[in-house]
Amino acid sequence: MTDIAGFPKGAHIQRIALVLQGGGALGAYQAGVYQALHEKGFAPDWVAGTSIGAINAAIIAGNAFEQRLARLRGFWDTVARDDPWNRPGLPKAVRQACDAGGVATTILCGLPGMFVPRLQTPWQSFLPGVPEHPSYYDTAPLHDTLLRLVDFDYLNRHEVRLSLGAVHVKTARVRYFDSLFQHIGPEHIMASGALPPSFPAVPVDGELYWDGGIVSNTPLEVVLDDVPRVNTLCFMVDLFSPIGPEPASIADVYARHKDISYANRSERGIRDYEEKHNLRRAVRALYKALPEAQRHDPELRRLAALGCHTTMEIVHLSYGGKPWETATRDADFSSLAIGERWGQGYADGLRVIERAAWLEPVPEHAGVVVYGAHDEPVERARRGKP
């Protein structure tokens, strides 16, 4: 267990994990959450990420504790775009116009330290070529950024486990590149964030991979399905909120559609795992209730092996968005937007630490307990309280 000085983890917790969803520029929210946790001594045993979450995860897992926050800040300072016209307090329509201009700049010019446009005529993009190249942008700058900000020697010493979700292009199967089982390099991180058609597929072990968010944008399953199972406190930081207002314009429709599409996968994943893990707890409880003689029945012992006694506690935080943000907000890397998202994540992170709801006793029947940053009533209900 990683030494976590001062962080309120609870005596029953055997492992602490951090799971980071994909979402482009919204990933600054995750950095803010991590800052709050880090300042309280949070040192995860395991970090899993997809897409921008994979980059954040690799920087956290790939640096010694005292360097993590500075390296994370270094990445977001590198990719943030200066926008002298954008200011807090501007009317919503003006703010949206500024953000739209920033997104257009990113589309036309790329992002420093991350990607640049490919120099090709429109008709060239429809011609067959090298399988790694069909894309609108070249992500070679990201390779250099990762070499600068991630200590790969440290990462591959297994001080912190790292898992990165990607999709095998030919079979559509999700694969998790895992530092526990293989040497991790820049190509594994880049593969997890290779969102087509903007970014090219990345070859790993002779096979091409795309962004894991195409199939599963939140790599929660790799942590929850790990064996042998141990009591785990998992901080899950999503970038698309399931809660939002009814859309009043076409732009609002696109934005809300994106939120629902990605957030629904996370909610469904938690719900499915909650049901499955609680059934495992029930199997074990039923086996223990059997008379001693029946417990030695080989078939019943085999069935009992499907059960477990561990508890998974999930602290679920999600970026709530800003009123002026549109469907292209995940491409808005303006320094103002990055700073605001980071600040919101920091505030939410401090809030969950102050409450530290996972320190309360967990009911015997509960295999999975979920806490949110704001939804106190849901938390009480899942703990069996009135």
Side-chain angles (χ1 to χ4, degrees):
M1 178 69 180
T2 303
D3 181 31
I4 305 173
F7 186 81
K9 61 183 178 67
H12 64 292
I13 298 297
Q14 298 169 280
R15 176 174 65 194
I16 295 186
L18 178 63
V19 172
L20 304 176
Q21 188 184 63
L26 306 183
Y29 173 81
Q30 295 171 341
V33 171
Y34 177 75
Q35 179 185 354
L37 298 174
H38 180 90
E39 289 177 354
K40 299 298 184 180
F42 175 79
D45 304 287
W46 190 354
V47 189
T50 297
S51 197
I52 196 66
I55 296 175
N56 284 335
I59 293 172
I60 294 168
N63 285 288
F65 179 84
E66 60 274 9
Q67 296 176 318
R68 291 171 189 169
L69 187 57
R71 293 287 175 88
L72 202 58
R73 177 71 73 178
F75 170 76
W76 287 99
D77 285 347
T78 296
V79 300
R81 176 185 49 78
D82 290 335
D83 186 358
W85 304 106
N86 213 347
R87 291 287 185 272
L90 290 174
K92 178 178 178 180
V94 176
R95 185 67 190 272
Q96 287 179 334
C98 291
D99 291 349
V103 171
T105 301
T106 298
I107 293 172
L108 292 173
C109 304
L111 278 178
M114 202 167 181
F115 59 89
V116 294
R118 289 195 185 278
L119 300 178
Q120 58 185 7
T121 60
W123 59 268
Q124 283 180 305
S125 61
F126 292 97
L127 295 178
V130 180
E132 295 96 314
H133 290 173
S135 63
Y136 296 118
Y137 299 95
D138 181 354
T139 54
L142 177 58
H143 184 275
D144 296 337
T145 298
L146 292 173
L147 289 178
R148 178 169 57 88
L149 295 176
V150 178
D151 182 342
F152 286 94
D153 289 335
Y154 178 90
L155 174 59
N156 289 290
R157 288 205 302 266
H158 304 155
E159 298 289 338
V160 180
R161 183 176 176 181
L162 174 68
S163 299
L164 308 169
V167 174
H168 187 236
V169 172
K170 291 192 292 187
T171 64
R173 292 177 181 170
V174 176
R175 177 179 175 182
Y176 287 101
F177 304 119
D178 198 313
S179 64
L180 187 63
F181 306 111
Q182 65 191 115
H183 187 279
I184 297 294
E187 68 276 13
H188 300 93
I189 307 167
M190 294 174 68
S192 182
L195 183 65
S198 296
F199 304 143
V202 176
V204 176
D205 301 328
E207 299 288 338
L208 293 179
Y209 290 87
W210 272 333
D211 191 311
I214 297 173
V215 175
S216 178
N217 200 38
T218 305
L220 181 65
E221 62 187 11
V222 70
V223 173
L224 298 185
D225 285 334
D226 186 56
V227 289
R229 297 182 179 89
V230 299
N231 291 342
T232 300
L233 174 61
C234 177
F235 289 82
M236 174 181 172
V237 189
D238 283 354
L239 302 177
F240 298 93
S241 175
I243 307 299
E246 295 179 347
S249 67
I250 291 295
D252 292 344
V253 168
Y254 278 113
R256 188 70 193 124
H257 174 264
K258 183 177 285 188
D259 271 341
I260 292 173
S261 297
Y262 287 115
N264 183 55
R265 296 180 192 177
S266 293
E267 291 291 320
R268 187 170 63 247
I270 291 176
R271 186 170 60 250
D272 291 347
Y273 187 83
E274 189 173 11
E275 293 176 357
K276 182 167 63 174
H277 201 66
N278 286 342
L279 282 174
R280 292 191 183 115
R281 291 288 292 259
V283 167
R284 182 175 177 84
L286 289 172
Y287 177 76
K288 290 174 64 177
L290 290 173
E292 182 68 27
Q294 288 185 274
R295 293 184 195 174
H296 297 289
D297 183 300
E299 184 64 19
L300 291 178
R301 289 173 66 91
R302 185 184 67 81
L303 292 174
L306 300 175
C308 69
H309 64 278
T310 57
T311 300
M312 300 292 182
E313 300 186 65
I314 303 171
V315 182
H316 188 195
L317 300 96
S318 60
Y319 176 62
K322 303 293 184 181
W324 53 83
E325 290 181 326
T326 65
T328 59
R329 62 196 180 280
D330 50 346
D332 177 13
F333 284 85
S334 69
S335 57
L336 177 60
I338 294 301
E340 289 171 334
R341 292 162 187 156
W342 188 302
Q344 184 173 331
Y346 182 71
D348 286 352
L350 289 178
R351 186 179 298 110
V352 298
I353 294 172
E354 181 180 355
R355 287 170 53 195
W358 54 88
L359 296 178
E360 299 178 22
V362 177
E364 179 65 27
H365 69 275
V368 174
V369 184
V370 183
Y371 319 100
H374 306 285
D375 53 358
E376 185 91 19
V378 174
E379 176 187 319
R380 286 199 302 267
R382 288 184 173 170
R383 284 193 174 275
K385 298 180 180 180

